[in-house]
Amino acid sequence: MATIAWIGLGNMGGPMSGNLAAAGHEVRGVDVVPAARAAAAERGVLVVDSIADAVAGADAVFTSLPRSEHVRQVLEGPDGVWANAPRSALLLDTSTVDVATSRYCHEASVDHGFRFVDAPVSGGIAGAAAGTLTFMLGGEEADVREATALVEPMAGHVFAVGGPTMGIAAKLANNLMLFVSLVGLSEGSQLAAELGLDAETFWKVASVSSGDSWPLRMWYPVPGVVPTSPANRNFDASFTTLLAEKDLSFALAAGEEAGLHLPGARLALDQFEQLIDEGYGGKDCSLIVKYASADGTVEGFDASV
């Protein structure tokens, strides 16, 4: 069993680190949010006060953080990972960051004498809790093999997708597809309702037909159809609009640098930005369904709550 440091014990990092602890690893975690610290402790993580305490003697160091700048911050400086972890530790970042940050993490980690694997995940909060996430690993071949063994207690699928930054490339392309699909789901669900179709009946048809998609199966934006839908909970977030906007903006930036034309992704990003402007950044990204409705209201959402 390994000694593992985990930095970032939020909605994803908390249950992920807990699954490693349940598998028998010694997991030392750190987070600035008291509630996240308490929840991780209940999952068997030894919560410590600093990055230095977490990484001391660690075999591996995982980061699971909201934004690119947070990943850079925990690696850099006298209190960071590079200054305090043993050089033998494998560094793995499960965050969704921009390609430039991932490249920086790889190159600067090597400059500091470390090995680094970009290890973003797909599957959301439910997958993190269930240990069924999809991992996309990018890095040197030997490092990716080591990372594969480490992430197995958290994973349903593990893919070695190539060299440095290829993990985050796979994640950004995947999430672009997710969010463009979500726009189609939003429009199709509203059309079905306006034409008089029963929501559950139509969902059953679409789920075995050409309209099937992951967001249809997990986030159908009508209450009472699928148990995992945020529509059952006034669109409280399983994947916040703020995070969706971040991920999609990273994907579009990468596409623009490559000279691609991505109008579907641009439309989805515009809708996420509109939700944020209306004060709904903390709500689930599937609330974009309201832009497909006739009057901006949708079943299952009460803006006053």
Side-chain angles (χ1 to χ4, degrees):
M1 294 292 102
T3 298
I4 296 172
W6 195 287
I7 303 167
L9 301 170
N11 289 334
M12 295 295 291
M16 291 166 72
S17 59
N19 285 331
L20 286 177
H25 297 293
E26 178 186 336
V27 183
R28 297 195 296 261
V30 62
D31 198 287
V32 298
V33 178
R37 292 163 59 90
E42 291 178 0
R43 294 184 174 103
V45 175
L46 175 62
V47 177
V48 296
D49 293 329
S50 69
I51 292 172
D53 290 337
V55 303
D59 300 304
V61 179
F62 283 84
T63 44
S64 177
L65 297 161
R67 302 191 65 87
S68 300
E69 57 266 30
H70 301 137
V71 175
R72 292 174 182 255
Q73 288 165 5
V74 303
L75 292 175
E76 298 169 342
D79 299 321
V81 173
W82 290 330
N84 292 281
R87 296 298 183 270
S88 56
L90 179 66
L91 312 184
L92 305 94
D93 182 36
T94 69
S95 319
T96 301
V97 299
D98 59 276
V99 174
T101 292
S102 184
R103 184 176 298 113
Y104 166 76
C105 291
H106 277 279
E107 294 176 352
S109 290
V110 170
D111 290 343
H112 284 84
F114 289 96
R115 298 165 299 133
F116 186 91
V117 171
D118 50 299
V121 299
S122 181
I125 296 171
T132 57
L133 294 169
T134 295
F135 276 80
M136 294 152 268
L137 305 180
E140 300 300 330
E141 187 174 346
D143 301 335
V144 167
R145 282 198 302 269
E146 184 176 340
T148 298
L150 286 168
V151 305
E152 282 179 350
M154 303 177 283
H157 304 279
V158 182
F159 294 97
V161 294
T165 76
M166 290 299 99
I168 202 64
K171 175 63 185 289
L172 294 179
N174 176 80
N175 276 21
L176 182 149
M177 295 168 68
L178 164 65
F179 297 133
V180 173
S181 297
L182 181 58
V183 173
L185 169 64
S186 298
E187 296 180 0
S189 68
Q190 294 304 291
L191 179 61
E194 288 301 313
L195 294 178
L197 285 161
D198 172 75
E200 185 172 0
T201 300
F202 174 68
W203 179 86
K204 289 177 179 177
V205 171
S207 66
V208 294
S209 302
S210 55
D212 186 30
S213 66
W214 190 92
L216 179 135
R217 284 177 266 118
M218 301 299 292
W219 291 348
Y220 196 77
V222 176
V225 178
V226 295
T228 52
S229 173
N232 301 325
R233 307 180 303 277
N234 200 39
F235 289 86
D236 288 344
S238 63
F239 198 115
T240 70
T241 298
L242 283 166
L243 287 177
E245 186 275 337
K246 177 203 74 169
D247 290 6
L248 194 49
S249 66
F250 290 164
L252 272 166
E256 289 168 2
E257 185 175 347
L260 301 179
H261 303 286
L262 306 172
R266 173 54 60 185
L267 173 62
L269 183 62
D270 288 345
Q271 293 190 353
F272 293 147
E273 290 174 342
Q274 187 173 348
L275 273 183
I276 293 168
D277 288 344
E278 292 179 25
Y280 299 129
K283 284 293 187 179
D284 195 80
C285 61
S286 61
L287 186 56
I288 64 169
V289 66
K290 79 189 200 73
Y291 300 128
S293 73
D295 60 1
T297 64
V298 290
E299 185 182 359
F301 180 59
D302 182 351
S304 68
V305 176

